[in-house]
Amino acid sequence: MDITRSTVFTYDSVPEHAISKKLLDRIDSLEKKLERLDKGNKPMESKVSEETINDLIANSDVDVETIFDKVTRVSIKLPNGFVLTETSGAVSSENYDKNIGFEICMEQIKHRLWELEGYKLASSIY
C-alpha cells in the first residue's frame, strides 16, 4: 500500500476495541510529524554527527586527575549537567602516562556520548 501525505485515515467505522492504544499513539505521532513538515519545518536529522559529539565535549567542563600514581580518572560535565566518568590505569606507576590515560578516557567518553545521543535521537523520532 502506497501512503502519501494526502492519504486520509478515518477510524469512525472501526470499533474502538479493534485498534490498539499503541497503534493509535503511533498514528498520532506520525500525524504530528507530517504537520510539522507541512508547516515548512525541516525534517529532523536521522543521525548523530561527529560535529555534535565534538561540540558537546567542547562545551563541557572536564576534570582530570591521577589516582594512586597509576590511574587516570576523567569526568566530564555536559552542558545539561549530566556527568560521565571514565578511568584508565597502568599495571605499575613506572608505566603510567597521564596523557595516554587521558586520551583513552576521552575515547571511552566519546563512545558513550555516541550511544547516549543515538538513544536520544531515536527516542525523539519514534
Side-chain angles (χ1 to χ4, degrees), residues 31-44:
E31 287 174 346
K32 287 176 185 173
K33 287 176 186 174
L34 286 174
E35 285 174 18
R36 286 196 312 260
L37 288 173
D38 287 340
K39 291 179 182 175
N41 295 339
K42 292 182 179 178
M44 186 179 302

Side-chain angles (χ1 to χ4, degrees), residues 43-48 121 125-126:
M44 186 179 302
E45 288 291 323
S46 62
K47 70 177 188 174
V48 176
L121 178 60
I125 293 172
Y126 303 103

Side-chain angles (χ1 to χ4, degrees), residues 70-84:
K70 62 180 186 174
V71 175
T72 303
R73 177 172 49 205
V74 177
S75 297
I76 184 168
K77 184 178 179 184
L78 301 174
N80 67 0
F82 193 78
V83 176
L84 297 171

Side-chain angles (χ1 to χ4, degrees), residues 15-79:
E16 188 174 318
H17 68 276
I19 302 173
S20 74
K21 171 84 170 110
K22 187 174 182 179
L23 177 61
L24 289 174
D25 289 345
R26 180 72 176 132
I27 291 168
D28 286 341
S29 173
L30 291 172
E31 287 174 346
K32 287 176 185 173
K33 287 176 186 174
L34 286 174
E35 285 174 18
R36 286 196 312 260
L37 288 173
D38 287 340
K39 291 179 182 175
N41 295 339
K42 292 182 179 178
M44 186 179 302
E45 288 291 323
S46 62
K47 70 177 188 174
V48 176
S49 70
E50 187 167 2
E51 180 181 0
T52 299
I53 301 301
N54 291 336
D55 285 348
L56 271 174
I57 292 171
N59 292 304
S60 297
D61 296 325
V62 179
D63 181 52
V64 183
E65 60 185 317
T66 298
I67 306 166
F68 302 118
D69 298 322
K70 62 180 186 174
V71 175
T72 303
R73 177 172 49 205
V74 177
S75 297
I76 184 168
K77 184 178 179 184
L78 301 174

Side-chain angles (χ1 to χ4, degrees), residues 106-118:
M106 288 307 294
E107 283 303 312
Q108 292 169 341
I109 286 170
K110 270 187 157 184
H111 179 74
R112 288 181 63 195
L113 283 173
W114 278 103
E115 291 177 347
L116 292 168
E117 288 296 302

